[in-house]
Amino acid sequence: MMPESIEFRTYQGLAALPHFSPDLDGDEAESHEAVREWRHELRAADAVVICTPEYARGVPGSLKNALDWVVSSGEFIDMPTGVISASPHPDCGVTAQQSLIMTLKMMSASIPDEATLAVPFVNKMFGPNGSMTDNKNMSSIVTLVQALSQAISVK
């Protein structure tokens, strides 16, 4: 669903990040390879899409931990950012999405109006091979990508 001009990469390092501690956030943070890599990936990005399940009415702790590691280093300042939440329930993970947006805005991320998506009944959206089968959500993802593409071009 991505335009050919956009390279999409998935960050796989959340589990490798150490538990955040303000005492380690500073010069010592760069000594942790996982923190250094996370910050490098964000600095190299023109935009970020964060997809999260709702877990216990919030974002999973591993995601919050990753965000905590970049609060003071500023990678999200003016970063065009899309937010997708998903839940097997009809509420679409809206509580997690609102919490995540609040955190990202505090970090000065730029979240375009059309760059958010809340997906209900996520367990029914994919076929046996893992491909999305819901046309409405596919269309919404295309809209999100277009909003981020536009935000990148004016950045």
Side-chain angles (χ1 to χ4, degrees):
M1 292 188 281
M2 303 297 284
E4 287 184 25
S5 62
I6 295 179
E7 176 189 351
F8 184 84
R9 291 186 294 183
T10 301
Y11 179 70
Q12 299 289 339
L14 286 184
L17 289 167
H19 181 74
F20 176 75
S21 169
D23 295 335
L24 300 177
D25 191 22
D27 292 337
E28 287 186 42
E30 292 295 320
S31 69
H32 291 279
E33 183 178 343
V35 174
R36 195 170 51 250
E37 178 187 327
W38 169 230
R39 289 176 175 179
H40 171 76
E41 288 292 319
L42 288 171
R43 287 181 197 124
D46 292 319
V48 174
V49 176
I50 298 177
C51 302
T52 186
E54 184 169 270
Y55 184 75
R57 289 289 199 206
V59 298
S62 57
L63 174 56
K64 181 63 168 86
N65 184 60
L67 294 175
D68 286 345
W69 275 113
V70 294
V71 168
S72 66
S73 54
E75 285 79 8
F76 274 96
I77 295 173
D78 297 326
M79 175 68 75
T81 305
V83 177
I84 301 173
S85 62
S87 174
H89 302 288
D91 69 359
C92 317
V94 170
T95 304
Q97 185 180 67
Q98 290 170 343
S99 174
L100 180 55
I101 289 171
M102 186 170 55
T103 298
L104 290 166
K105 285 188 175 184
M106 188 284 309
M107 296 167 67
S108 300
S110 174
I111 305 170
D113 290 337
E114 293 185 320
T116 62
L117 175 61
V119 181
F121 305 113
V122 70
N123 51 326
K124 297 178 182 180
M125 300 285 168
F126 297 92
N129 65 352
S131 63
M132 184 176 280
T133 58
D134 184 80
N135 290 334
K136 180 181 176 216
N137 279 301
M138 286 196 324
S139 175
S140 296
I141 291 171
V142 169
T143 299
L144 184 145
V145 169
Q146 290 171 341
L148 285 179
S149 296
Q150 185 175 4
I152 290 168
S153 67
V154 297
K155 183 177 172 184

